[in-house]
Amino acid sequence: MRNPAAPFASQVFGPDSAVTRAVIWLDRVGFDVGNHRISLWGGLVTVIVVLAVFMFARLGSKLAKRAFARITRFDATQQLLGEKLVSLGIWLVAILVGIDILGISLTALTVFSGAFGLAVGFGLQKTFGNLIAGIILLMDRSIKPGDVIAVGGSGAATVGQVKKIGIRAVSVTTRDKIEYLIPNENLMTSQVENWSFSSRDVRVKVPVGVAYGTDIDVAEKLMLEAARSCARVLDVPAPSAWLKAFGDSAIEFEIMAWIRDPEEGVGNVRSEVLKAVWRAFRDGGIEIPFPQRDIHIRDWPRRDADAPSFEDDGKPPTS
């Protein structure tokens, strides 16, 4: 079976044109496999079609991204979901058009599709699982770009802001400017703390201790004034101070302050509140205690009068 490119080139460019002669020569460099012709011209056409499909799909994806970015009635999550779905549709259409242009029969891909399905079931299971998990995350809007989340155990949790939800993973940037790529499937199967899911208000706990004998009403008043003096602490809900426990060396309080920008960090707010408390206690004459221990010696061993004594140089006395 000869390649139909030569008659096509002859009709378009003429039978004696240089293009037609080049196509005929490229088609002759090859061999036949059954009813199919494998030639240099066929390989060149395949490369051109693949590049055209790739460029068309990339261009379509970029146009879809710009189109959804202009739809102001959609939030960031809906825009991202629509962009991903349209991009997948564009890639699917481009691939099918490329297969049709190359003249590949879909029935001939039955065996290949079966092997591909088997590969997906085993080798690409995680990849497709992350793809579906990413679409589900965008659809149920449980995690959105801009959310502050904590992933991992309570002792070593990764806290950061969601920057991007991709096909394979979610990009989370911490306050240290370290970017973590967390697979979408992990966010579906493990426990995730979303600090800004229904509200961006986050409560910050600041432990403070005062010495025994301190007027706790005055101390509480100073702690609240110190918390309210911090710029990021909200007036509503108002900060509060709770008496937590009577410790070994101090009366333990805990200041509860609310912030609305957890993506800017929590530790810096706690530090600012503690500095304000320190200055308020210093000016108010309230002591911040430190651990102390009293040692009571009940029986001190006495030296026997007949026992030898040693001088300061550590040598026994000479007789």
Side-chain angles (χ1 to χ4, degrees):
M1 181 177 178
R2 303 297 294 177
N3 195 312
F8 174 78
S10 177
Q11 294 177 2
V12 175
F13 299 100
D16 297 330
S17 65
V19 176
T20 302
R21 290 195 299 269
V23 170
I24 294 174
W25 182 82
L26 290 174
D27 186 49
R28 289 176 180 176
V29 182
F31 54 91
D32 295 328
V33 178
N35 296 328
H36 299 279
R37 176 68 177 175
I38 299 177
S39 64
L40 190 59
W41 170 253
L44 181 61
V45 171
T46 302
V47 172
I48 293 175
V49 171
V50 170
L51 290 177
V53 167
F54 181 78
M55 294 177 61
F56 170 77
R58 288 293 300 272
L59 179 61
S61 299
K62 290 183 178 180
L63 292 177
K65 182 177 181 180
R66 293 181 180 179
F68 277 97
R70 295 177 180 177
I71 303 177
T72 57
R73 66 175 181 271
F74 289 168
D75 58 20
T77 304
Q78 293 173 334
Q79 291 177 356
L80 185 58
L81 176 60
E83 174 196 339
K84 296 299 182 184
L85 293 178
V86 172
S87 297
L88 289 175
I90 291 175
W91 276 99
L92 180 60
V93 171
I95 292 174
L96 293 178
V97 170
I99 291 176
D100 183 68
I101 293 175
L102 293 176
I104 301 175
S105 176
L106 295 179
T107 58
L109 299 177
T110 305
V111 178
F112 173 76
S113 61
F116 181 74
L118 188 62
V120 169
F122 289 95
L124 301 179
Q125 181 180 4
K126 291 293 184 180
T127 301
F128 278 84
N130 287 321
L131 173 62
I132 300 302
I135 295 177
I136 294 176
L137 287 176
L138 291 172
M139 292 181 64
D140 67 3
R141 304 177 64 185
S142 57
I143 297 177
K144 308 177 295 295
D147 285 352
V148 179
I149 63 174
V151 183
S154 58
T158 300
V159 180
Q161 186 177 23
V162 177
K163 293 296 183 181
K164 178 183 178 183
I165 300 179
I167 295 179
R168 188 189 67 85
V170 172
S171 173
V172 178
T173 304
T174 65
R175 289 288 298 165
D176 298 327
K177 299 302 180 182
I178 300 176
E179 190 167 2
Y180 288 87
L181 298 178
I182 304 175
N184 297 330
E185 191 175 6
N186 289 5
L187 299 179
M188 292 288 296
T189 58
S190 60
Q191 180 177 346
V192 179
E193 295 180 9
N194 192 336
W195 293 7
S196 52
F197 177 63
S198 57
S199 173
R200 298 190 63 81
D201 293 351
V202 175
R203 187 172 67 176
V204 181
K205 300 179 181 180
V206 184
V208 177
V210 298
Y212 282 99
T214 302
D215 189 337
I216 60 175
D217 295 328
V218 175
E220 181 178 350
K221 178 182 177 181
L222 293 177
M223 283 186 282
L224 294 179
E225 292 178 354
R228 284 192 290 265
S229 67
C230 299
R232 292 179 55 195
V233 174
L234 300 177
D235 295 330
V236 179
S240 59
W242 293 359
L243 178 59
K244 186 178 180 181
F246 296 107
D248 296 335
S249 304
I251 302 175
E252 299 176 0
F253 283 87
E254 195 167 48
I255 301 175
M256 306 293 182
W258 291 86
I259 62 174
R260 193 162 290 167
D261 50 357
E263 67 276 3
E264 297 297 329
V266 175
N268 48 6
V269 177
R270 187 178 292 111
S271 174
E272 187 178 358
V273 172
L274 286 174
K275 290 179 182 179
V277 169
W278 173 270
R279 291 189 289 265
F281 281 4
R282 180 194 57 192
D283 298 339
I286 294 181
E287 179 184 356
I288 299 178
F290 53 88
Q292 300 182 21
R293 295 291 183 269
D294 294 334
I295 300 177
H296 299 274
I297 301 175
R298 303 181 62 180
D299 186 14
W300 185 266
R302 298 181 178 180
R303 184 175 61 86
D304 191 353
D306 297 333
S309 60
F310 297 92
E311 298 178 353
D312 296 336
D313 57 1
K315 298 181 181 180
T318 57
S319 58

